[in-house]
Amino acid sequence: MSRSSVYAIDIALVVLGIVVVWQLLHMGAGDVAISSPAATALRAGELLLSDAFWPHAAETGLALFYALVIALMIGLGVGTLLGGHRLSGDVAEPILVALYSLPKITLYPVILLVFGLGLEAKVAFGAIHGVIPVTIFTMNAVKNINPVFLRTSRVLGMGPMQTATHILLPATLPEIVSGLRVGFSLTLLGVIIGELFASHRGMGFLVMRAIGTHDVTTMMAVTLLLAVAAVLIASLLLYIDNRLHRRV
Amino acid sequence: MTRLAWIRLAIVLGAFAALEWLVQSGRISTHTMIPPTRMVTELWAILASGELTGDITQTLGNVAIACLLSVTVGFVVGAGIHAIPRLRRALDPFLTTYYAVPFFVFYPLLVYIFGMNNLPMIAIGFMFAVVAMIINTLNGLDKIPRVYDKVARMHQMSRASMALRIQIPAAAPNLFTGLKLSVAYAFIGVIASEFILAPGGLGYAIAFAYDNFDNETMYALMLFILVLVTAINMTLHYLEQRLLRRQGF
Amino acid sequence: MTGEIHAHLTRVTRVYPAVAGNPPVHALGPIDLELRRGEFFAIVGPSGCGKSTCMDVLAGLAPPSEGEVSFEGNPIRGSVPDGVGAVFQEDASFPWLTVWDNAAFGLRRQGVDAAEIRRRVEYALGFMGLRDFAQAYPAQLSGGMRQRVCIARTLVLQPRLILLDEPFGALDAQTRLLMGDELLRLWRETGATVLLITHALDEAAMLSDRVGAMSARPGRFLETLETGWPRDRDSSMLEGETFGHITGRLWQLLRSESQAAMGHHPDAAQGGTRREAG
Ligand SMILES: Nc1ncnc2c1ncn2[C@@H]1O[C@H](COP(=O)(O)OP(=O)(O)OP(=O)(O)O)[C@@H](O)[C@H]1O
Ligand SMILES: [Mg+2]
């Protein structure tokens, strides 16, 4: 058997293991606490086919998208500036790391006070989570550009635009994608937390509503859909990341 | 203090001063924000009155338990996975995408299962922190030079002695990174859970103050968490530097 | 010099088993090697020919696929015998311990008492020229100094057979010569049997009583030369013409083997050699 097919089987075994553990938990805790994998998958299918589900999914997706775009724009801009200026970068790095490890949820009320309930608050909250890793990764990528590259571009008589597109971008892109990958996870987390607390729309809201009505199956189905979507997107980003880093 | 540290301090103080001025001068409404000096005095009053001591100890206790659990379990599981290369290869993609799953959606479920007590919060803090420890344990064990194996055998060391005297010290830089992340993630997990749904704790107190339009208490507590987490981070950072600098990491 | 046999390999081969789709690698042998008690033996050979593998087998770190290994009359099977010390090709100093604690590592594992540890460590550090760095950490030392830390860590155990795998690989040529003198001094003072693996022909020729020249992988001894040096020798022998004869002979033996190791076909190598020479 080839190595890749062994690998595929191993991955399938891991997934199977997760399902088995889930089923055992279900059998131990009963229907009221944990719904079975089969029932959850069935309900997830129903949700995907129902009209009531999609506006919520779209709300979450939209909030995630806006938040990512904002986090990316600010993170790339600030990260480039900090990376290009040694002193600023050295001053900022520990502050950024400290901000990264802060429980930003405590700031959510401030966001709500500023933006009110709704999409904007979720977007802002998601962006706050995602912007820091993107900034840190971009900063390090720019800081660590091999200076020989820049001298080469001068020797070759390249203008600023050409230097940016043909040297800076390819040299920093792998690290920036790594930052985006970490940023994606946190942005999604921010958006979902935003929806769990003080929100009337989105997947997070669906989870809270289902728990309110003691509908465990729906709650778990929404959770499952979120988890699967998140893992798929993250795997895609991981694949791109690995490709850019020449790891595959 | 180094020059960089002075600049940093100046930036943080400057930010607070700017905020103070913006609020005092009415450019930001006091319905949204209160001046930082008020936060400090308010926080002092809250701490002195002792009305939140229970919430603070509850939060810190939960964070401590979640940390302890995730660091030990993460280390043991990490070492176990490392010992079985095939399992490790199969688990790798799950570990790297783990943090993309927003685990807080499990929180309501956990409250439903365990009831409204500390267990769900500890569980979320643990789920959040343990994988950071696993990943860093794996990274640390990966980096141990293979020649140490031979050295251990030349000294006829037992498996346990080798783990204690060679592998753990060799992996220490990464293990410490895992510890630092575990602390930060356990904090995030516990406080966020309290915030959403909890019988008490700092996060709950903030959410409660928000619901009751009590901006003074809310901002005072935010400041408290900010200072607390920063202090813990700086302590860990200092310990790490002391432990590792001499080793040239 | 023609004393008793201290350690020997008889018809030893070593084949690394196939892993993950890669075919098995026949790394060594079959070779025979007899180390006489108290002699200084050097092995030279092209890169990847199995020198380190040979040392692992002799130290009991790797089992031979075929053949017999013995040390002081007892067969070596699967464990490191007492009285054998080894310094490896890679830097194996522990970055979390000071130079002093690195050197004391093995003695502490054996439960030697503190006064004795101090005596032996201080002697070894002095010997390796590390006394001023006793409290330094390896990260503060150069590559060559770290390798000396590893030698000190082995020396304190007072091994009767010392195996050294390219201990000076990280050093410049001049320092190598000086370290070679130190090594000779160590060998004379301890009376131990020394096996030195090196890829530097001059080093092998200068230091050893006998030099084994190994073929490209799977490594076999092409020839073993007796250098005929007196026991009391040092790097000043470089000036004499005997030295030139020995290195010349070694290079003659190893040239085509080295080409083979680099992937050149032995027959086609003729032209290549001429171009290089011309
Ligand atoms: N653990 C291993 N598994 C498979 N093959 C190995 C292993 N270790 C070494 N080899 C192979 O065995 C051969 C001999 O290796 P060895 O390390 O003994 O060479 P060497 O003579 O010490 O080389 P160098 O001078 O570069 O140190 C090489 O072709 C190497 O690729
Ligand atoms: Mg070698």
Side-chain angles (χ1 to χ4, degrees):
Chain A
M1 210 164 22
S2 77
R3 286 187 69 178
S4 56
S5 60
V6 170
Y7 183 57
I9 290 172
D10 284 353
I11 298 263
L13 283 176
V14 172
V15 174
L16 187 69
I18 295 174
V19 174
V20 167
V21 170
W22 180 358
Q23 177 69 33
L24 290 176
L25 285 175
H26 160 71
M27 278 153 37
D31 261 328
V32 279
I34 300 177
S35 58
S36 71
T40 310
L42 213 64
R43 176 62 53 85
E46 284 168 25
L47 282 175
L48 289 178
L49 294 176
S50 79
D51 292 335
F53 171 75
W54 287 103
H56 290 290
E59 167 92 2
T60 302
L62 202 63
L64 178 64
F65 176 73
Y66 285 145
L68 266 179
V69 169
I70 293 173
L72 209 55
M73 277 180 355
I74 298 179
L76 283 178
V78 176
T80 308
L81 288 178
L82 291 177
H85 190 246
R86 181 122 229 141
L87 179 67
S88 322
D90 288 348
V91 169
E93 175 140 31
I95 298 182
L96 289 171
V97 172
L99 288 176
Y100 179 72
S101 60
L102 219 60
K104 281 167 281 291
I105 181 127
T106 48
L107 299 178
Y108 195 48
V110 186
I111 305 284
L112 288 177
L113 287 173
V114 174
F115 292 97
L117 296 183
L119 187 67
E120 291 89 343
K122 284 188 247 177
V123 170
F125 198 55
I128 285 181
H129 276 81
V131 71
I132 294 169
V134 178
T135 309
I136 294 178
F137 274 88
T138 309
M139 180 177 85
N140 285 328
V142 173
K143 195 158 72 185
N144 295 333
I145 290 182
N146 189 341
V148 166
F149 292 173
L150 298 178
R151 264 182 278 148
T152 308
S153 90
R154 278 222 299 282
V155 170
L156 295 176
M158 292 163 75
M161 255 339 266
Q162 272 186 320
T163 307
T165 52
H166 285 94
I167 302 225
L168 292 183
L169 191 65
T172 54
L173 195 61
E175 280 310 293
I176 290 173
V177 171
S178 298
L180 179 64
R181 196 164 66 75
V182 179
F184 162 77
S185 306
L186 286 168
T187 310
L188 179 60
L189 186 76
V191 169
I192 296 295
I193 292 179
E195 289 183 345
L196 289 178
F197 185 83
S199 172
H200 300 295
R201 294 173 76 181
M203 308 268 282
F205 164 72
L206 285 183
V207 172
M208 282 309 249
R209 191 179 65 181
I211 205 77
T213 57
H214 300 281
D215 183 355
V216 177
T217 315
T218 302
M219 206 219 88
M220 292 194 58
V222 177
T223 306
L224 178 69
L225 289 175
L226 254 176
V228 169
V231 167
L232 286 181
I233 298 175
S235 304
L236 182 69
L237 287 171
L238 182 64
Y239 176 73
I240 298 174
D241 194 356
N242 282 338
R243 278 300 288 268
L244 288 170
H245 277 102
R246 309 279 190 276
R247 283 190 290 241
V248 285
Chain B
M1 251 180 15
T2 62
R3 192 170 70 105
L4 287 179
W6 282 113
I7 300 178
R8 254 172 243 139
L9 187 67
I11 288 177
V12 173
L13 290 179
F16 275 106
L19 192 60
E20 180 84 23
W21 176 76
L22 284 171
V23 184
Q24 294 282 10
S25 66
R27 281 174 172 76
I28 294 180
S29 130
T30 45
H31 294 298
T32 348
M33 180 62 73
I34 65 169
T37 47
R38 276 271 298 290
M39 295 182 200
V40 175
T41 48
E42 191 65 30
L43 176 59
W44 184 251
I46 292 175
L47 291 179
S49 76
E51 60 184 295
L52 285 178
T53 313
D55 289 307
I56 293 172
T57 43
Q58 183 182 355
T59 299
L60 290 183
N62 287 343
V63 170
I65 296 173
C67 271
L68 218 65
L69 274 178
S70 53
V71 168
T72 38
V73 172
F75 175 73
V76 172
V77 171
I81 295 175
H82 188 84
I84 312 172
R86 193 168 155 191
L87 177 67
R88 196 257 166 91
R89 231 163 62 89
L91 284 180
D92 255 342
F94 293 90
L95 291 174
T96 25
T97 54
Y98 178 85
Y99 281 105
V101 178
F103 275 95
F104 286 98
V105 293
F106 289 127
Y107 181 63
L109 176 72
L110 291 171
V111 173
Y112 195 78
I113 296 172
F114 293 120
M116 203 49 141
N117 52 40
N118 286 327
L119 273 182
M121 286 177 279
I122 295 173
I124 286 285
F126 172 78
M127 277 161 98
F128 218 52
V130 70
V131 171
M133 189 66 198
I134 295 179
I135 292 175
N136 280 286
T137 303
L138 287 172
N139 286 345
L141 294 177
D142 280 347
K143 283 198 194 122
I144 299 178
R146 270 202 297 189
V147 67
Y148 287 173
D149 248 32
K150 292 189 188 174
V151 175
R153 292 181 57 198
M154 286 313 292
H155 290 103
Q156 289 152 345
M157 293 166 78
S158 67
R159 193 69 198 73
S161 163
M162 179 182 175
L164 196 68
R165 306 269 174 199
I166 295 186
Q167 289 176 304
I168 291 181
N174 290 85
L175 295 180
F176 206 96
T177 308
L179 173 76
K180 274 199 325 188
L181 285 176
S182 290
V183 173
Y185 285 173
F187 253 106
I188 295 178
V190 168
I191 290 184
S193 314
E194 291 173 344
F195 194 84
I196 295 166
L197 200 67
L202 279 171
Y204 168 76
I206 291 178
F208 186 81
Y210 167 76
D211 285 337
N212 291 290
F213 306 102
D214 180 2
N215 274 3
E216 275 79 11
T217 308
M218 188 178 92
Y219 278 112
L221 290 179
M222 284 182 186
L223 183 69
F224 181 70
I225 292 180
L226 195 90
V227 172
L228 182 71
V229 173
T230 308
I232 292 176
N233 277 335
M234 280 169 67
T235 312
L236 287 174
H237 183 72
Y238 171 77
L239 289 177
E240 184 181 37
Q241 290 297 312
R242 243 183 54 156
L243 188 76
L244 305 176
R245 186 187 294 139
R246 60 188 190 198
Q247 298 185 17
F249 288 104
Chain C
M1 197 61 43
T2 51
E4 57 173 310
I5 303 302
H6 198 190
H8 71 82
L9 306 177
T10 312
R11 307 291 302 159
V12 161
T13 59
R14 170 106 178 117
V15 180
Y16 288 101
V19 265
N22 296 319
V25 179
H26 182 182
L28 181 71
I31 61 164
D32 293 292
L33 171 64
E34 293 184 337
L35 294 176
R36 303 166 193 152
R37 187 180 285 276
E39 83 168 322
F40 196 127
F41 194 98
I43 297 181
V44 290
S47 182
C49 72
K51 303 185 293 295
S52 300
T53 304
C54 178
M55 180 174 116
D56 285 354
V57 171
L58 196 52
L61 292 169
S65 307
E66 274 165 49
E68 303 283 319
V69 198
S70 84
F71 173 65
E72 296 182 343
N74 305 311
I76 297 174
R77 283 205 196 89
S79 73
V80 180
D82 275 328
V84 178
V87 176
F88 301 102
Q89 191 169 9
E90 305 88 346
D91 170 21
S93 61
F94 296 139
W96 60 92
L97 296 177
T98 60
V99 167
W100 210 97
D101 290 330
N102 260 290
F105 185 83
L107 294 174
R108 292 204 171 122
R109 300 287 82 70
Q110 295 180 356
V112 177
D113 72 83
E116 178 66 7
I117 292 182
R118 181 157 350 105
R119 199 183 64 73
R120 288 205 216 169
V121 168
E122 254 147 42
Y123 174 78
L125 291 185
F127 199 93
M128 299 313 302
L130 291 167
R131 192 172 285 133
D132 295 342
F133 297 90
Q135 293 313 313
Y137 285 90
Q140 295 156 275
L141 307 180
S142 69
M145 288 164 91
R146 272 182 242 167
Q147 210 47 292
R148 265 142 66 190
V149 171
C150 295
I151 298 179
R153 188 169 66 193
T154 301
L155 216 53
V156 293
L157 299 171
Q158 304 181 330
R160 298 182 295 283
L161 171 61
I162 305 177
L163 309 171
L164 300 157
D165 195 353
E166 308 249 7
F168 311 136
L171 299 185
D172 59 279
Q174 296 89 306
T175 319
R176 277 178 97 107
L177 289 178
L178 292 180
M179 283 310 298
D181 283 342
E182 293 307 306
L183 203 55
L184 284 173
R185 195 158 64 84
L186 183 153
W187 167 66
R188 272 196 303 271
E189 285 195 21
T190 59
T193 309
V194 172
L195 176 79
L196 172 73
I197 291 171
T198 174
H199 57 240
L201 305 183
D202 52 351
E203 198 169 274
M206 165 186 130
L207 296 174
S208 56
D209 296 317
R210 291 194 296 156
V211 188
M214 229 183 226
S215 69
R217 184 177 68 83
R220 261 173 296 233
F221 285 117
L222 299 164
E223 193 170 316
T224 303
L225 304 178
E226 302 259 356
T227 59
W229 301 126
R231 192 168 172 83
D232 200 3
R233 60 188 179 236
D234 60 35
S235 55
S236 62
M237 343 232 22
L238 285 179
E239 296 154 25
E241 65 182 78
T242 329
F243 176 78
H245 285 311
I246 302 171
T247 41
R249 176 67 188 141
L250 285 174
W251 178 229
Q252 204 177 6
L253 284 166
L254 289 176
R255 186 167 62 189
S256 62
E257 296 299 327
S258 305
Q259 283 167 342
M262 298 269 293
H264 296 285
H265 196 277
D267 299 331
Q270 208 68 19
T273 323
R274 235 180 246 130
R275 258 205 308 282
E276 272 163 33

